[in-house]
Amino acid sequence: RLPLDCLLLLHKCIDLSGKMFTFPQQTSTTEVRFTTQRQDMRAVTVCLRSFTDLKREHSLFSLALPTGANGFLIIKSAQSDAFDIWVREQHVKIEAQDFKLNMWQSICATWDASSGLIQLWLNGKPSSKKYTSSGHSINGPMIIVLGQDSYGGGFDTKQSFVGMMEDVHMWDYTLSPCEIQGYMDEHYYPEGNVLNWNSVEFQSVGRVLIEEKLRACN
């Protein structure tokens, strides 16, 4: 287990397969920040797995731009069955979701600029599609953060993530339903071409642990 306590660490081309990030406490400083050279995306798919006991609102994934914090943001709402998704500062609420505490949850979200439609998948079940923002891409220098939800600092403790997270991938296109189902079932799926959990460059700040992925005992 590698403790990353109250300091900035840079990791280049790390294979995190079989690993998870553990965020063990509520803070306004702890974060994992990914590096990407992409500065223009007309579609997005983000998939991740999270485990938490938080009943309050918390950030699961944040892509921020210098022009605004909410380039592409996945927030678990304080409402027990809801998520808040932001695209280019436009917000929709996804409701009637069977989110469970203290269990691994597989989450994917997709968006396409041509239609403006966003869809959430939770543990293999798709949500109703909703309109957010269309006609323009997500563009500019991108900062991608786990654990917090703002561009370059100024974090809100009450929106911080506490728990474990793994298998974070991001694509610059919308995955097909079959590909998303493959991710949900932990079977075959294409690796992310923007963020690939099996080969990532990232910075960590504060008390974050890189631990072995939890597996069922034989």
Side-chain angles (χ1 to χ4, degrees), residues 6 18 43 65 97 155 163 165-166 181 188 216:
C6 299
L65 305 167
Q97 299 299 302
F155 299 135
M165 198 173 294
E166 64 186 30
Q181 193 61 57
Y188 172 77

Side-chain angles (χ1 to χ4, degrees), residues 171-184:
W171 299 260
D172 62 358
Y173 59 94
T174 56
L175 293 189
S176 71
C178 288
E179 289 171 327
I180 290 176
Q181 193 61 57
Y183 176 87
M184 297 286 167

Side-chain angles (χ1 to χ4, degrees), residues 81 86 216:
D81 67 344
W86 293 79

Side-chain angles (χ1 to χ4, degrees), residues 4-25:
L4 312 179
D5 188 6
C6 299
L7 72 161
L8 171 67
L9 295 177
L10 174 63
H11 305 262
K12 293 188 175 182
C13 298
I14 300 297
D15 182 358
L16 290 173
S17 57
K19 307 289 186 181
M20 65 182 184
F21 289 133
T22 297
F23 299 82
Q25 63 185 146

